[in-house]
């Protein structure tokens, strides 16, 4: 994979997106839930740089490796709370909105676990991570690679 360009150096419009993302996180939900959502959207979008960044951050915050390993199969694992399941279902629905059209079942699960204000906060978080995923994938941004792990 060859990086295409550094959007952070190429345009001053990246700063408002970064600032908006910071505002959403600072006024958002519980940190562990937010990291799971960011990781899940990044899995669906195939954004390596965001997966790298947010799995490291989740581990720093005390998330277990087992829950990170099984996140791609969250529906089949008992490791996630009902609140987390609702958030992950909403993440899947909005990240894949062209396919899912945000189904009523996903929204009903969301309503059962989140206040109206929290629903907006979660939706904004999903919007922000999807924006960063599209930038990362589109411009082929690369995550750091340790020499002993690199593949030729």
């Amino acid at each position: 994979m060859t990086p295409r360009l550094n959007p952070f150096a190429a345009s001053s419009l990246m700063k408002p997106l970064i600032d908006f993302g910071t505002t959403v996180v600072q006024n958002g939900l519980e940190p562990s839930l937010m990291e799971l959502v960011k990781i899940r959207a990044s899995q669906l979008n195939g954004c390596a740089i965001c997966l790298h960044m947010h799995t490291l951050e989740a581990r720093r915050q005390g998330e277990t490796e087992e829950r990170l390993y099984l996140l791609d199969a969250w529906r089949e694992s008992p490791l996630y709370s009902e609140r987390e399941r609702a958030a992950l279902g909403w993440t899947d629905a909005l990240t894949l909105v062209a396919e899912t059209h945000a189904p009523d079942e996903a929204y009903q699960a969301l309503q059962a676990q989140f206040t109206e204000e929290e629903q907006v906060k979660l939706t904004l978080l999903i919007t922000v991570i999807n924006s960063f995923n599209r930038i990362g994938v589109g411009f082929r941004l690369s995550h750091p690679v340790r020499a002993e792990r690199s593949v030729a």
Side-chain angles (χ1 to χ4, degrees):
M1 182 180 83
T2 303
R4 293 178 171 159
L5 70 82
N6 180 347
F8 302 96
S11 176
S12 63
L13 288 175
M14 291 302 298
K15 181 156 178 20
L17 179 59
I18 293 166
D19 292 345
F20 178 62
T22 300
T23 299
V24 169
V25 168
Q26 288 174 345
N27 294 290
L29 306 163
E30 54 269 42
S32 62
L33 179 74
M34 289 192 291
E35 290 304 322
L36 289 176
V37 164
K38 290 184 271 187
I39 295 164
R40 181 62 185 146
S42 299
Q43 286 176 331
L44 293 170
N45 289 319
C47 185
I49 192 168
C50 290
L51 281 166
H52 182 268
M53 179 186 322
H54 295 297
T55 54
L56 286 176
E57 182 57 30
R59 291 291 290 136
R60 273 193 284 273
Q61 293 177 9
E63 186 57 77
T64 67
E65 287 186 31
E66 185 177 26
R67 283 173 33 102
L68 293 176
Y69 295 152
L70 292 169
L71 186 55
D72 197 38
W74 66 266
R75 285 179 178 85
E76 289 77 34
S77 175
L79 296 177
Y80 306 97
S81 70
E82 287 305 310
R83 182 171 169 87
E84 290 168 336
R85 290 177 178 286
L88 294 169
W90 193 237
T91 301
D92 286 8
L94 294 186
T95 299
L96 303 172
V97 72
E99 297 170 25
T100 70
H101 304 284
D104 289 340
E105 301 79 40
Y107 186 67
Q108 290 162 355
L110 181 73
Q111 282 182 307
Q113 296 294 323
F114 292 84
T115 67
E116 288 183 353
E117 183 177 358
E118 289 174 328
Q119 291 174 43
V120 173
K121 289 177 178 184
L122 178 61
T123 300
L124 290 172
L125 178 67
I126 295 166
T127 300
V128 168
I129 192 59
N130 273 282
S131 295
F132 280 112
N133 288 166
R134 279 143 179 78
I135 290 164
V137 171
F139 292 120
R140 306 281 192 260
L141 300 181
S142 182
H143 63 88
V145 177
R146 294 187 314 205
E148 71 271 13
R149 295 283 180 152
S150 64
V151 177

